[in-house]
Amino acid sequence: METQSLYLRISPKEIYYLKFILEAYDGMALLSTVDAAEGLVVARYPAEWRDDLFGLLSSLAPEIKPELC
């Protein structure tokens, strides 16, 4: 299974929110914090989940304010 990584900078106060949302979608992605103060996180996900993950992140964008890194 091919795994990809997506680095994002989000609102620091939304890190746990995003982590819990992703955990609800069993197998979609694993979120790790790189720098909590800066809101830098990495989502590691199976390649076949890419479209679903990007769709979810798009719908959550107003809340988490993501930026690609």
Side-chain angles (χ1 to χ4, degrees):
M1 179 184 312
E2 181 185 348
T3 304
Q4 298 180 345
S5 297
L6 175 65
Y7 286 84
L8 297 168
R9 186 175 317 276
I10 64 174
S11 173
K13 66 181 182 177
E14 302 299 337
I15 292 173
Y16 289 113
Y17 172 71
L18 180 57
K19 184 173 182 69
F20 290 129
I21 293 294
L22 290 176
E23 286 177 358
Y25 290 88
D26 191 33
M28 179 183 282
L30 174 65
L31 190 75
S32 299
T33 304
V34 177
D35 186 335
E38 293 292 321
L40 185 60
V41 296
V42 60
R44 292 183 178 85
Y45 60 95
E48 59 268 10
W49 279 93
R50 184 183 193 283
D51 292 339
D52 294 318
L53 176 62
F54 279 59
L56 176 62
L57 292 174
S58 292
S59 68
L60 294 173
E63 298 172 54
I64 63 173
K65 301 172 183 70
E67 299 173 18
L68 291 174
C69 297

